[in-house]
Amino acid sequence: MTPAHAAGPVIEFAESDTVEFKESWNDRGLKDVCALANTRGGVLYVGVRDDGTLSGTAADDAQQLLIANHCDTKLRVTPTIGVEEHGGLRVLAVTVRHASRLVRYEGRYYKRVGTASVEMAEDEAAACLVAQAGQTWDALPSSATVAGDVDEEAVRAFVRRAQGREHPRLPQGVRDSDPLDLILGNLDLLTQDGRPSNAAILLFGKRPQRHVRSALIRMAYFRTINDFTAYPDCTGTVFEQIEAALRQVESANPPTMSFRVSGRAASGVGVAERSMRTETMPYPVLALREAITNAVVHRDYMRPGAEVEVKMFADRLVVSNPGGLLPGVTIEALRQSPHRSERRNPLVAATLFADYWVERYGTGTTRMIELCRAAGLPEPEFMAEPGGFTVMFRKDAFAPALLAKRGLSARQAAAILALRDMGEITTGAYMRIADVSEATALRDLRELTRRGILERRGAGRAAHYVLLRLSNRSRPS
């Protein structure tokens, strides 16, 4: 039903993330001033109803002084207050600048979302406070102590390992024989008052999860959405988490074995001596390590209850990181080499860089792409969502189990597996492998071509077929 006052004069613009209407001034206006200051700034108009109709207000010195005092004493915000005339009525325009610090009202932080002032999530407010302090979360002091919570031998072993690299990346002056406090200080892992930073505990803590409960990797293998096997959580330091996750991935995805018969097959030598066994991992180990390490380094540790997740399926593996892309970084940029490198936890990243676990120059995602291409696998897929980032790896599209799932006959699957090793196949070769007639071979090959699995090349006697995925790899990008 139309309000009784809707026929009155209406202001020329509408509420937005930078404009708020108030019919009269009260404490609820302070929440809106707080939200405007925490977002982009804006103007709160007093004397305008929510629907944009004008009610007008006194707009005198007393009212302006009241609003200014409320904003100063309760928010520590100093707005600019002016009188404007709209539709023949006087309104107050309370202009609020974007604050250089996070503003709080009655113990809570607010922001503008569209036309509403909403409370910030706890982790979002914490992130803003840390950023305003000019620090990152991993540089903040931990509740731990060096003497009681840092694993001294782990620190020294790390230094010895990093020093032993062909091209050491440790900061100058870091020696494993130095006192523990000096080593941690030279690695920038101590705060100014000598306390271990959050990074120090994640990297070298005796029990990191006592201080950062969500610092772990959850893993599960899904047969269906409701039928899955949960693996033990990967805990410990970030080094231990990554290594444990890779072991569990290998356990759930064992290598496939193939045998090739040597050219001495007719010599009478035994089968074991005539065959060469090849083990192939379903996913490139280095690409998985890169994805899991990136997730641990770039995740948002200020989000309580949010962990890195590795979900395994029959045909794919997904690594999810509770930390969205940082401002200015896009999915498109991640596919370019090198791209802009942004680090949510730069101290953790710097220590892993010194031990060659990560690179600094925006090459991690492109390395994943190159490793999958080299293994003849689909390129990894990168997906960003609010507060999260995901990398998906897909298995060999021509693995026997997946061929069966695609509804291929046993002879078609056998021919494709042979073709994967041979590189190409002719009608005659298909006849011999599948032990079928020429008509059946041609029918099968046409069906596989129609389904996008094979591609026919050449004509007449020169006609042959190649796996479409392998064919695509050979084309210029």
Side-chain angles (χ1 to χ4, degrees), residues 208-247:
Q209 287 68 41
R210 289 184 60 186
H211 306 279
V212 189
R213 290 179 180 270
S214 63
L216 54 86
I217 302 174
R218 293 197 184 280
M219 301 186 66
Y221 186 93
F222 289 81
R223 288 170 287 277
T224 68
I225 194 67
N226 296 315
D227 179 14
F228 63 91
T229 299
Y231 281 72
D233 291 342
C234 303
T235 58
T237 66
V238 293
F239 301 104
E240 292 166 337
Q241 292 174 42
I242 297 164
E243 290 174 343
L246 289 172
R247 286 195 300 270

Side-chain angles (χ1 to χ4, degrees), residues 130-150:
V130 169
Q132 286 176 3
Q135 295 196 66
T136 54
W137 174 87
D138 64 344
L140 296 177
S142 168
S143 58
T145 64
V146 172
D149 299 289
V150 175

